[in-house]
Amino acid sequence: MKRFLTATAAIALVAIPASLSAHKMWLLPSTTVVSGDDGWVTFDAAASTDPFYPDHQPLRIEPVVTAPDGSSAKVENFTVGKFRATFDLHLTQQGTWKLAITNGGVMGSWKVDGVEARLPRGTTPDKVASLIPANATDVKLAEVANRNEVFVTLGAPTDAVLKPTGQGLEFTPVTHPDDLVLGEPATLGFTLDGKPAAGLAVTIVPDGARYRDAVGEMTLTTDAKGQIKVKWPRPGKYWLNVTATGKSTAVPNADKRMGYVTTLEVLGR
């Protein structure tokens, strides 16, 4: 079955949970912590075989930026190349900023008189009922919802942009994502529709996998609180991915597939 996205998605790969794709999506900041009265961070954005090594295709969607006070901001110098997109963010407020690409949609198929048909690209939950004929059989539907986020901080970390919405699969860290230090275990959490997401497999891959005989990925399972405790093996940047499935509340008789991706930076002592 093909996978269908909302119209906001420019490439099909973006709306598929990373574990369902041969390529890994990522937003890579040059740094996650900046000091001073203001500052700049530059980013790469792509989908590739290994995290942070662009070899497949760029992410073509500009991320939504939330400033520490909750206001909206824009990236600058957004450019799409052959294998990666690049852009800059001017940090003009003290605290933690969030950059996010969120997308989703409904994919599905059915048969009429033995002939298979599929939902068109850009199908949203409110349009599903009108697109499937009354005499359709073998109806198969799935709602897809994904978040690809990264956090950068000017000065001291703040928590306002970490507040969950209570919808879908969300990152709810106990240890601030921009305050990760080698030798200090981090507690990271996840929720599903506002409740602790227990029993989810979280994959964490350190940068530089292309240059190692072993990828060095860690797979941890969330506890009853929806949390994992991570002991960082070395400083550097890490790609984190978690997926979840459930029942859709927006599309009757449909499953829901959710994915979350972020990039974390661990500093040395």
Side-chain angles (χ1 to χ4, degrees), residues 27-97:
L27 297 170
L28 179 65
S30 55
T31 182
T32 58
V33 179
V34 179
S35 60
D37 294 331
D38 70 347
W40 289 85
V41 179
T42 191
F43 295 80
D44 292 341
S48 58
T49 305
D50 296 314
F52 315 142
Y53 185 86
D55 64 0
H56 182 57
Q57 57 182 322
L59 300 187
R60 296 181 172 89
I61 306 172
E62 288 192 26
V64 174
V65 181
T66 306
D69 66 358
S71 62
S72 297
K74 294 279 291 182
V75 300
E76 301 183 36
N77 307 317
F78 188 86
T79 303
V80 178
K82 174 65 175 177
F83 292 124
R84 62 174 177 164
T86 61
F87 54 88
D88 303 314
L89 178 64
H90 188 192
L91 306 180
T92 56
Q93 290 182 26
Q94 296 287 314
T96 300
W97 298 61

Short mmCIF file of all heavy atoms in Angstrom, two decimals, residues 27-97:
data_model
loop_
_atom_site.label_atom_id
_atom_site.label_comp_id
_atom_site.label_asym_id
_atom_site.label_seq_id
_atom_site.Cartn_x
_atom_site.Cartn_y
_atom_site.Cartn_z
N LEU A 27 17.00 16.58 11.56
CA LEU A 27 17.36 18.00 11.58
C LEU A 27 18.63 18.10 12.42
O LEU A 27 18.63 17.68 13.58
CB LEU A 27 16.25 18.84 12.21
CG LEU A 27 14.90 18.87 11.50
CD1 LEU A 27 13.85 19.53 12.39
CD2 LEU A 27 15.02 19.63 10.18
N LEU A 28 19.68 18.66 11.87
CA LEU A 28 20.97 18.68 12.56
C LEU A 28 21.42 20.12 12.80
O LEU A 28 21.81 20.83 11.86
CB LEU A 28 22.02 17.94 11.74
CG LEU A 28 23.43 17.91 12.34
CD1 LEU A 28 23.45 17.13 13.65
CD2 LEU A 28 24.43 17.31 11.35
N PRO A 29 21.40 20.59 14.05
CA PRO A 29 21.91 21.93 14.35
C PRO A 29 23.43 21.91 14.49
O PRO A 29 24.02 20.92 14.92
CB PRO A 29 21.24 22.25 15.69
CG PRO A 29 21.07 20.91 16.35
CD PRO A 29 20.81 19.93 15.23
N SER A 30 24.06 23.01 14.14
CA SER A 30 25.51 23.10 14.31
C SER A 30 25.88 23.04 15.79
O SER A 30 26.94 22.56 16.15
CB SER A 30 26.04 24.40 13.69
OG SER A 30 25.36 25.53 14.22
N THR A 31 24.99 23.54 16.63
CA THR A 31 25.15 23.46 18.08
C THR A 31 23.77 23.56 18.69
O THR A 31 22.83 24.06 18.05
CB THR A 31 26.06 24.57 18.61
OG1 THR A 31 26.22 24.41 20.03
CG2 THR A 31 25.47 25.95 18.35
N THR A 32 23.61 23.10 19.92
CA THR A 32 22.32 23.23 20.60
C THR A 32 22.36 24.27 21.70
O THR A 32 21.31 24.61 22.26
CB THR A 32 21.87 21.88 21.19
OG1 THR A 32 22.87 21.43 22.12
CG2 THR A 32 21.65 20.84 20.11
N VAL A 33 23.54 24.77 22.03
CA VAL A 33 23.68 25.75 23.11
C VAL A 33 24.54 26.91 22.63
O VAL A 33 25.65 26.71 22.14
CB VAL A 33 24.31 25.11 24.36
CG1 VAL A 33 24.45 26.15 25.47
CG2 VAL A 33 23.48 23.93 24.85
N VAL A 34 24.00 28.12 22.77
CA VAL A 34 24.69 29.33 22.34
C VAL A 34 24.72 30.31 23.52
O VAL A 34 23.73 30.43 24.25
CB VAL A 34 23.98 29.98 21.14
CG1 VAL A 34 24.71 31.26 20.72
CG2 VAL A 34 23.91 29.01 19.97
N SER A 35 25.82 31.01 23.70
CA SER A 35 25.92 32.00 24.76
C SER A 35 25.94 33.40 24.15
O SER A 35 26.14 33.57 22.95
CB SER A 35 27.19 31.77 25.59
OG SER A 35 28.34 31.86 24.77
N GLY A 36 25.71 34.40 24.99
CA GLY A 36 25.73 35.78 24.53
C GLY A 36 24.35 36.41 24.55
O GLY A 36 23.37 35.83 25.00
N ASP A 37 24.29 37.65 24.04
CA ASP A 37 23.02 38.37 24.01
C ASP A 37 22.11 37.88 22.90
O ASP A 37 20.89 37.94 23.00
CB ASP A 37 23.28 39.87 23.83
CG ASP A 37 24.00 40.47 25.04
OD1 ASP A 37 23.81 39.95 26.16
OD2 ASP A 37 24.75 41.44 24.84
N ASP A 38 22.69 37.44 21.80
CA ASP A 38 21.95 36.78 20.73
C ASP A 38 22.92 35.86 20.02
O ASP A 38 24.10 35.79 20.36
CB ASP A 38 21.29 37.77 19.77
CG ASP A 38 22.31 38.52 18.92
OD1 ASP A 38 23.52 38.45 19.23
OD2 ASP A 38 21.90 39.17 17.95
N GLY A 39 22.44 35.10 19.05
CA GLY A 39 23.33 34.17 18.37
C GLY A 39 22.66 33.53 17.17
O GLY A 39 21.47 33.73 16.91
N TRP A 40 23.44 32.75 16.45
CA TRP A 40 22.95 32.06 15.25
C TRP A 40 23.27 30.57 15.36
O TRP A 40 24.29 30.18 15.91
CB TRP A 40 23.63 32.62 14.00
CG TRP A 40 23.19 34.00 13.63
CD1 TRP A 40 23.68 35.18 14.12
CD2 TRP A 40 22.20 34.34 12.68
NE1 TRP A 40 23.05 36.23 13.53
CE2 TRP A 40 22.13 35.76 12.64
CE3 TRP A 40 21.35 33.60 11.85
CZ2 TRP A 40 21.25 36.44 11.81
CZ3 TRP A 40 20.47 34.27 11.02
CH2 TRP A 40 20.42 35.67 11.00
N VAL A 41 22.36 29.77 14.81
CA VAL A 41 22.59 28.34 14.65
C VAL A 41 22.27 28.00 13.20
O VAL A 41 21.26 28.47 12.65
CB VAL A 41 21.71 27.51 15.60
CG1 VAL A 41 21.97 26.01 15.38
CG2 VAL A 41 21.97 27.87 17.05
N THR A 42 23.11 27.22 12.56
CA THR A 42 22.84 26.76 11.20
C THR A 42 22.47 25.29 11.22
O THR A 42 22.91 24.54 12.10
CB THR A 42 24.06 27.02 10.28
OG1 THR A 42 23.67 26.80 8.92
CG2 THR A 42 25.23 26.12 10.63
N PHE A 43 21.64 24.86 10.27
CA PHE A 43 21.07 23.52 10.28
C PHE A 43 21.21 22.83 8.93
O PHE A 43 21.18 23.48 7.88
CB PHE A 43 19.56 23.58 10.59
CG PHE A 43 19.21 24.09 11.96
CD1 PHE A 43 19.21 25.46 12.21
CD2 PHE A 43 18.86 23.23 12.98
CE1 PHE A 43 18.88 25.95 13.46
CE2 PHE A 43 18.53 23.70 14.23
CZ PHE A 43 18.54 25.07 14.48
N ASP A 44 21.34 21.51 8.98
CA ASP A 44 21.15 20.65 7.82
C ASP A 44 19.88 19.85 8.06
O ASP A 44 19.52 19.55 9.21
CB ASP A 44 22.32 19.67 7.65
CG ASP A 44 23.61 20.37 7.26
OD1 ASP A 44 23.55 21.52 6.77
OD2 ASP A 44 24.68 19.77 7.44
N ALA A 45 19.19 19.47 6.99
CA ALA A 45 17.96 18.69 7.11
C ALA A 45 17.87 17.72 5.94
O ALA A 45 17.93 18.14 4.77
CB ALA A 45 16.74 19.60 7.13
N ALA A 46 17.74 16.43 6.25
CA ALA A 46 17.76 15.44 5.17
C ALA A 46 17.15 14.12 5.64
O ALA A 46 16.82 13.95 6.81
CB ALA A 46 19.20 15.22 4.69
N ALA A 47 17.05 13.21 4.70
CA ALA A 47 16.74 11.80 4.97
C ALA A 47 17.85 10.98 4.34
O ALA A 47 18.19 11.18 3.16
CB ALA A 47 15.40 11.42 4.37
N SER A 48 18.45 10.08 5.12
CA SER A 48 19.63 9.39 4.63
C SER A 48 19.75 8.00 5.24
O SER A 48 19.00 7.64 6.15
CB SER A 48 20.89 10.21 4.97
OG SER A 48 20.99 10.40 6.37
N THR A 49 20.72 7.24 4.74
CA THR A 49 20.94 5.89 5.24
C THR A 49 21.41 5.92 6.69
O THR A 49 20.90 5.17 7.53
CB THR A 49 21.99 5.18 4.37
OG1 THR A 49 21.58 5.22 3.00
CG2 THR A 49 22.15 3.73 4.81
N ASP A 50 22.39 6.77 6.97
CA ASP A 50 22.89 6.95 8.33
C ASP A 50 22.54 8.36 8.79
O ASP A 50 22.58 9.31 8.00
CB ASP A 50 24.41 6.77 8.38
CG ASP A 50 24.85 5.37 8.02
OD1 ASP A 50 24.23 4.42 8.53
OD2 ASP A 50 25.79 5.24 7.22
N PRO A 51 22.20 8.54 10.07
CA PRO A 51 21.92 9.89 10.56
C PRO A 51 23.08 10.84 10.32
O PRO A 51 24.24 10.48 10.51
CB PRO A 51 21.69 9.67 12.06
CG PRO A 51 21.29 8.25 12.19
CD PRO A 51 22.07 7.53 11.14
N PHE A 52 22.74 12.04 9.85
CA PHE A 52 23.66 13.16 9.74
C PHE A 52 24.65 13.04 8.58
O PHE A 52 25.53 13.89 8.45
CB PHE A 52 24.43 13.39 11.05
CG PHE A 52 23.56 13.34 12.28
CD1 PHE A 52 24.02 12.77 13.46
CD2 PHE A 52 22.26 13.85 12.27
CE1 PHE A 52 23.22 12.72 14.60
CE2 PHE A 52 21.45 13.79 13.40
CZ PHE A 52 21.93 13.23 14.56
N TYR A 53 24.50 12.02 7.73
CA TYR A 53 25.34 11.92 6.53
C TYR A 53 24.42 11.93 5.32
O TYR A 53 23.82 10.91 4.98
CB TYR A 53 26.20 10.65 6.55
CG TYR A 53 27.16 10.60 5.38
CD1 TYR A 53 28.40 11.22 5.46
CD2 TYR A 53 26.81 9.95 4.20
CE1 TYR A 53 29.28 11.20 4.38
CE2 TYR A 53 27.68 9.92 3.12
CZ TYR A 53 28.91 10.55 3.21
OH TYR A 53 29.77 10.54 2.14
N PRO A 54 24.25 13.07 4.66
CA PRO A 54 23.27 13.18 3.57
C PRO A 54 23.66 12.41 2.33
O PRO A 54 24.70 12.70 1.71
CB PRO A 54 23.22 14.70 3.31
CG PRO A 54 24.55 15.21 3.77
CD PRO A 54 24.96 14.34 4.92
N ASP A 55 22.83 11.42 1.97
CA ASP A 55 23.12 10.63 0.78
C ASP A 55 21.87 10.22 0.02
O ASP A 55 21.94 9.45 -0.93
CB ASP A 55 23.93 9.38 1.15
CG ASP A 55 23.16 8.42 2.04
OD1 ASP A 55 21.99 8.71 2.39
OD2 ASP A 55 23.72 7.36 2.40
N HIS A 56 20.70 10.76 0.43
CA HIS A 56 19.47 10.32 -0.23
C HIS A 56 18.66 11.49 -0.78
O HIS A 56 18.63 11.71 -1.97
CB HIS A 56 18.62 9.49 0.73
CG HIS A 56 17.36 8.95 0.13
ND1 HIS A 56 17.37 8.16 -1.00
CD2 HIS A 56 16.06 9.11 0.47
CE1 HIS A 56 16.13 7.84 -1.32
NE2 HIS A 56 15.31 8.41 -0.45
N GLN A 57 17.98 12.25 0.11
CA GLN A 57 17.27 13.42 -0.37
C GLN A 57 17.04 14.42 0.76
O GLN A 57 17.05 14.06 1.94
CB GLN A 57 15.95 13.04 -1.03
CG GLN A 57 14.97 12.26 -0.19
CD GLN A 57 13.72 11.92 -1.01
OE1 GLN A 57 13.25 12.70 -1.82
NE2 GLN A 57 13.20 10.73 -0.80
N PRO A 58 16.85 15.69 0.39
CA PRO A 58 16.68 16.73 1.40
C PRO A 58 15.26 16.73 1.96
O PRO A 58 14.32 16.21 1.33
CB PRO A 58 16.94 18.02 0.62
CG PRO A 58 16.46 17.69 -0.77
CD PRO A 58 16.84 16.24 -0.99
N LEU A 59 15.09 17.31 3.14
CA LEU A 59 13.76 17.65 3.62
C LEU A 59 13.41 19.02 3.07
O LEU A 59 14.16 19.97 3.28
CB LEU A 59 13.73 17.65 5.16
CG LEU A 59 14.07 16.33 5.85
CD1 LEU A 59 13.83 16.43 7.35
CD2 LEU A 59 13.29 15.17 5.26
N ARG A 60 12.30 19.11 2.39
CA ARG A 60 11.98 20.33 1.64
C ARG A 60 11.00 21.25 2.37
O ARG A 60 10.52 22.21 1.78
CB ARG A 60 11.42 19.95 0.27
CG ARG A 60 12.42 19.22 -0.62
CD ARG A 60 11.83 18.89 -1.97
NE ARG A 60 12.83 18.38 -2.88
CZ ARG A 60 13.15 17.10 -3.00
NH1 ARG A 60 12.56 16.20 -2.22
NH2 ARG A 60 14.06 16.71 -3.86
N ILE A 61 10.68 20.93 3.61
CA ILE A 61 9.71 21.73 4.36
C ILE A 61 10.42 22.61 5.36
O ILE A 61 11.24 22.13 6.15
CB ILE A 61 8.71 20.81 5.09
CG1 ILE A 61 8.06 19.84 4.12
CG2 ILE A 61 7.66 21.63 5.82
CD1 ILE A 61 7.24 18.79 4.80
N GLU A 62 10.11 23.89 5.36
CA GLU A 62 10.67 24.77 6.39
C GLU A 62 10.05 24.42 7.74
O GLU A 62 8.83 24.28 7.85
CB GLU A 62 10.38 26.24 6.06
CG GLU A 62 11.18 26.78 4.91
CD GLU A 62 11.09 28.29 4.81
OE1 GLU A 62 10.84 28.94 5.85
OE2 GLU A 62 11.25 28.82 3.69
N PRO A 63 10.85 24.28 8.78
CA PRO A 63 10.28 23.96 10.09
C PRO A 63 9.51 25.13 10.69
O PRO A 63 9.79 26.29 10.40
CB PRO A 63 11.51 23.62 10.93
CG PRO A 63 12.61 24.39 10.28
CD PRO A 63 12.31 24.40 8.82
N VAL A 64 8.56 24.79 11.53
CA VAL A 64 7.86 25.80 12.33
C VAL A 64 8.73 26.10 13.54
O VAL A 64 9.18 25.19 14.23
CB VAL A 64 6.47 25.28 12.77
CG1 VAL A 64 5.81 26.27 13.73
CG2 VAL A 64 5.59 25.04 11.55
N VAL A 65 8.96 27.39 13.81
CA VAL A 65 9.85 27.80 14.89
C VAL A 65 9.04 28.45 16.01
O VAL A 65 8.23 29.35 15.76
CB VAL A 65 10.92 28.78 14.39
CG1 VAL A 65 11.86 29.17 15.54
CG2 VAL A 65 11.71 28.18 13.23
N THR A 66 9.28 27.97 17.24
CA THR A 66 8.65 28.57 18.42
C THR A 66 9.73 29.15 19.31
O THR A 66 10.65 28.45 19.73
CB THR A 66 7.84 27.53 19.21
OG1 THR A 66 6.90 26.89 18.33
CG2 THR A 66 7.09 28.19 20.36
N ALA A 67 9.62 30.45 19.59
CA ALA A 67 10.59 31.14 20.45
C ALA A 67 10.30 30.83 21.92
O ALA A 67 9.24 30.32 22.26
CB ALA A 67 10.51 32.65 20.20
N PRO A 68 11.24 31.13 22.80
CA PRO A 68 11.05 30.82 24.22
C PRO A 68 9.79 31.40 24.85
O PRO A 68 9.22 30.81 25.77
CB PRO A 68 12.31 31.41 24.87
CG PRO A 68 13.34 31.33 23.80
CD PRO A 68 12.61 31.63 22.53
N ASP A 69 9.32 32.55 24.34
CA ASP A 69 8.11 33.15 24.91
C ASP A 69 6.83 32.65 24.25
O ASP A 69 5.74 33.14 24.54
CB ASP A 69 8.18 34.69 24.82
CG ASP A 69 8.15 35.19 23.37
OD1 ASP A 69 8.13 34.36 22.44
OD2 ASP A 69 8.17 36.43 23.18
N GLY A 70 6.96 31.66 23.37
CA GLY A 70 5.79 31.08 22.71
C GLY A 70 5.42 31.72 21.39
O GLY A 70 4.53 31.23 20.69
N SER A 71 6.09 32.79 21.02
CA SER A 71 5.80 33.44 19.75
C SER A 71 6.42 32.66 18.59
O SER A 71 7.30 31.82 18.78
CB SER A 71 6.35 34.88 19.75
OG SER A 71 7.76 34.88 19.92
N SER A 72 5.94 32.96 17.39
CA SER A 72 6.44 32.29 16.19
C SER A 72 7.61 33.05 15.60
O SER A 72 7.68 34.29 15.69
CB SER A 72 5.33 32.17 15.15
OG SER A 72 4.27 31.36 15.64
N ALA A 73 8.52 32.32 14.99
CA ALA A 73 9.66 32.92 14.32
C ALA A 73 9.88 32.18 13.00
O ALA A 73 9.22 31.18 12.72
CB ALA A 73 10.90 32.87 15.20
N LYS A 74 10.81 32.68 12.20
CA LYS A 74 11.09 32.08 10.91
C LYS A 74 12.57 31.77 10.78
O LYS A 74 13.42 32.48 11.30
CB LYS A 74 10.69 33.04 9.77
CG LYS A 74 9.21 33.31 9.69
CD LYS A 74 8.46 32.19 8.97
CE LYS A 74 8.80 32.15 7.50
NZ LYS A 74 8.03 31.08 6.80
N VAL A 75 12.86 30.68 10.06
CA VAL A 75 14.24 30.41 9.71
C VAL A 75 14.64 31.34 8.56
O VAL A 75 13.79 31.90 7.86
CB VAL A 75 14.46 28.94 9.32
CG1 VAL A 75 14.09 28.02 10.47
CG2 VAL A 75 13.68 28.58 8.06
N GLU A 76 15.92 31.48 8.35
CA GLU A 76 16.44 32.33 7.29
C GLU A 76 17.34 31.51 6.37
O GLU A 76 17.88 30.48 6.75
CB GLU A 76 17.21 33.52 7.87
CG GLU A 76 16.37 34.40 8.78
CD GLU A 76 17.13 35.60 9.30
OE1 GLU A 76 17.94 36.16 8.53
OE2 GLU A 76 16.91 35.99 10.46
N ASN A 77 17.48 32.00 5.13
CA ASN A 77 18.41 31.42 4.15
C ASN A 77 18.09 29.95 3.86
O ASN A 77 19.00 29.13 3.69
CB ASN A 77 19.85 31.55 4.65
CG ASN A 77 20.21 32.98 5.01
OD1 ASN A 77 19.87 33.91 4.29
ND2 ASN A 77 20.88 33.16 6.14
N PHE A 78 16.80 29.61 3.78
CA PHE A 78 16.41 28.23 3.51
C PHE A 78 16.77 27.86 2.07
O PHE A 78 16.32 28.51 1.12
CB PHE A 78 14.91 28.05 3.74
CG PHE A 78 14.46 26.61 3.68
CD1 PHE A 78 14.52 25.80 4.82
CD2 PHE A 78 13.97 26.07 2.51
CE1 PHE A 78 14.10 24.49 4.78
CE2 PHE A 78 13.56 24.75 2.45
CZ PHE A 78 13.63 23.96 3.59
N THR A 79 17.56 26.83 1.91
CA THR A 79 18.03 26.40 0.60
C THR A 79 17.93 24.89 0.49
O THR A 79 18.31 24.17 1.41
CB THR A 79 19.50 26.82 0.37
OG1 THR A 79 19.61 28.24 0.53
CG2 THR A 79 19.97 26.44 -1.03
N VAL A 80 17.42 24.40 -0.64
CA VAL A 80 17.30 22.97 -0.87
C VAL A 80 18.32 22.54 -1.90
O VAL A 80 18.33 23.03 -3.04
CB VAL A 80 15.89 22.60 -1.35
CG1 VAL A 80 15.80 21.10 -1.65
CG2 VAL A 80 14.85 22.99 -0.31
N GLY A 81 19.20 21.64 -1.51
CA GLY A 81 20.20 21.10 -2.41
C GLY A 81 19.84 19.70 -2.87
O GLY A 81 18.71 19.24 -2.69
N LYS A 82 20.79 19.03 -3.47
CA LYS A 82 20.56 17.69 -4.00
C LYS A 82 20.28 16.69 -2.88
O LYS A 82 19.35 15.87 -2.99
CB LYS A 82 21.78 17.24 -4.81
CG LYS A 82 21.72 15.80 -5.30
CD LYS A 82 20.61 15.59 -6.31
CE LYS A 82 20.66 14.16 -6.87
NZ LYS A 82 19.53 13.90 -7.80
N PHE A 83 21.06 16.70 -1.81
CA PHE A 83 20.93 15.71 -0.76
C PHE A 83 20.51 16.28 0.59
O PHE A 83 20.22 15.52 1.52
CB PHE A 83 22.26 14.95 -0.58
CG PHE A 83 22.61 14.09 -1.74
CD1 PHE A 83 23.82 14.23 -2.39
CD2 PHE A 83 21.74 13.10 -2.19
CE1 PHE A 83 24.17 13.42 -3.46
CE2 PHE A 83 22.08 12.28 -3.26
CZ PHE A 83 23.28 12.44 -3.90
N ARG A 84 20.52 17.59 0.75
CA ARG A 84 20.17 18.17 2.04
C ARG A 84 19.61 19.58 1.85
O ARG A 84 19.90 20.25 0.84
CB ARG A 84 21.37 18.24 2.97
CG ARG A 84 22.49 19.12 2.42
CD ARG A 84 23.62 19.32 3.39
NE ARG A 84 24.67 20.12 2.77
CZ ARG A 84 25.65 20.73 3.43
NH1 ARG A 84 25.71 20.62 4.74
NH2 ARG A 84 26.55 21.43 2.80
N ALA A 85 18.82 20.02 2.81
CA ALA A 85 18.42 21.42 2.91
C ALA A 85 19.27 22.07 3.99
O ALA A 85 19.73 21.41 4.92
CB ALA A 85 16.94 21.53 3.25
N THR A 86 19.47 23.37 3.87
CA THR A 86 20.21 24.11 4.89
C THR A 86 19.43 25.38 5.22
O THR A 86 18.73 25.94 4.37
CB THR A 86 21.62 24.49 4.43
OG1 THR A 86 21.54 25.32 3.27
CG2 THR A 86 22.44 23.25 4.11
N PHE A 87 19.56 25.84 6.46
CA PHE A 87 18.93 27.09 6.86
C PHE A 87 19.57 27.58 8.15
O PHE A 87 20.33 26.85 8.80
CB PHE A 87 17.41 26.92 7.04
CG PHE A 87 17.01 25.83 7.99
CD1 PHE A 87 16.88 26.06 9.35
CD2 PHE A 87 16.74 24.55 7.52
CE1 PHE A 87 16.51 25.05 10.22
CE2 PHE A 87 16.36 23.53 8.38
CZ PHE A 87 16.24 23.78 9.74
N ASP A 88 19.28 28.83 8.50
CA ASP A 88 19.83 29.45 9.70
C ASP A 88 18.70 29.93 10.60
O ASP A 88 17.61 30.27 10.12
CB ASP A 88 20.71 30.65 9.33
CG ASP A 88 21.85 30.28 8.40
OD1 ASP A 88 22.51 29.26 8.66
OD2 ASP A 88 22.06 31.00 7.40
N LEU A 89 18.99 30.00 11.90
CA LEU A 89 18.05 30.55 12.85
C LEU A 89 18.76 31.59 13.71
O LEU A 89 19.80 31.31 14.31
CB LEU A 89 17.47 29.45 13.76
CG LEU A 89 16.49 29.93 14.84
CD1 LEU A 89 15.25 30.54 14.21
CD2 LEU A 89 16.13 28.79 15.78
N HIS A 90 18.19 32.78 13.74
CA HIS A 90 18.74 33.86 14.56
C HIS A 90 18.06 33.81 15.92
O HIS A 90 16.83 34.03 16.03
CB HIS A 90 18.48 35.21 13.89
CG HIS A 90 19.17 36.36 14.56
ND1 HIS A 90 18.88 37.68 14.28
CD2 HIS A 90 20.16 36.39 15.51
CE1 HIS A 90 19.65 38.46 15.01
NE2 HIS A 90 20.42 37.71 15.76
N LEU A 91 18.82 33.53 16.95
CA LEU A 91 18.28 33.45 18.31
C LEU A 91 18.30 34.85 18.92
O LEU A 91 19.36 35.39 19.24
CB LEU A 91 19.12 32.49 19.16
CG LEU A 91 19.31 31.08 18.60
CD1 LEU A 91 20.15 30.25 19.55
CD2 LEU A 91 17.98 30.41 18.33
N THR A 92 17.13 35.44 19.08
CA THR A 92 17.01 36.81 19.55
C THR A 92 16.42 36.89 20.95
O THR A 92 16.29 37.99 21.50
CB THR A 92 16.12 37.62 18.59
OG1 THR A 92 14.85 36.96 18.47
CG2 THR A 92 16.78 37.74 17.22
N GLN A 93 16.04 35.74 21.52
CA GLN A 93 15.51 35.69 22.88
C GLN A 93 16.31 34.69 23.70
O GLN A 93 16.70 33.63 23.18
CB GLN A 93 14.04 35.25 22.90
CG GLN A 93 13.05 36.24 22.35
CD GLN A 93 11.63 35.68 22.47
OE1 GLN A 93 11.34 34.86 23.33
NE2 GLN A 93 10.75 36.14 21.60
N GLN A 94 16.51 35.00 24.96
CA GLN A 94 17.16 34.06 25.86
C GLN A 94 16.21 32.89 26.14
O GLN A 94 15.00 33.06 26.29
CB GLN A 94 17.53 34.74 27.17
CG GLN A 94 18.56 35.86 27.04
CD GLN A 94 19.95 35.34 26.77
OE1 GLN A 94 20.41 34.40 27.42
NE2 GLN A 94 20.65 35.93 25.81
N GLY A 95 16.77 31.67 26.20
CA GLY A 95 15.98 30.50 26.51
C GLY A 95 15.99 29.47 25.39
O GLY A 95 16.79 29.54 24.46
N THR A 96 15.09 28.51 25.49
CA THR A 96 15.05 27.37 24.57
C THR A 96 14.04 27.59 23.45
O THR A 96 12.90 27.96 23.69
CB THR A 96 14.72 26.08 25.33
OG1 THR A 96 15.72 25.86 26.34
CG2 THR A 96 14.67 24.88 24.40
N TRP A 97 14.50 27.33 22.23
CA TRP A 97 13.69 27.44 21.01
C TRP A 97 13.37 26.03 20.50
O TRP A 97 14.15 25.10 20.70
CB TRP A 97 14.46 28.18 19.93
CG TRP A 97 14.83 29.59 20.24
CD1 TRP A 97 15.63 30.04 21.26
CD2 TRP A 97 14.42 30.75 19.52
NE1 TRP A 97 15.75 31.41 21.22
CE2 TRP A 97 15.02 31.88 20.15
CE3 TRP A 97 13.62 30.96 18.40
CZ2 TRP A 97 14.83 33.18 19.70
CZ3 TRP A 97 13.43 32.26 17.94
CH2 TRP A 97 14.02 33.35 18.59
#
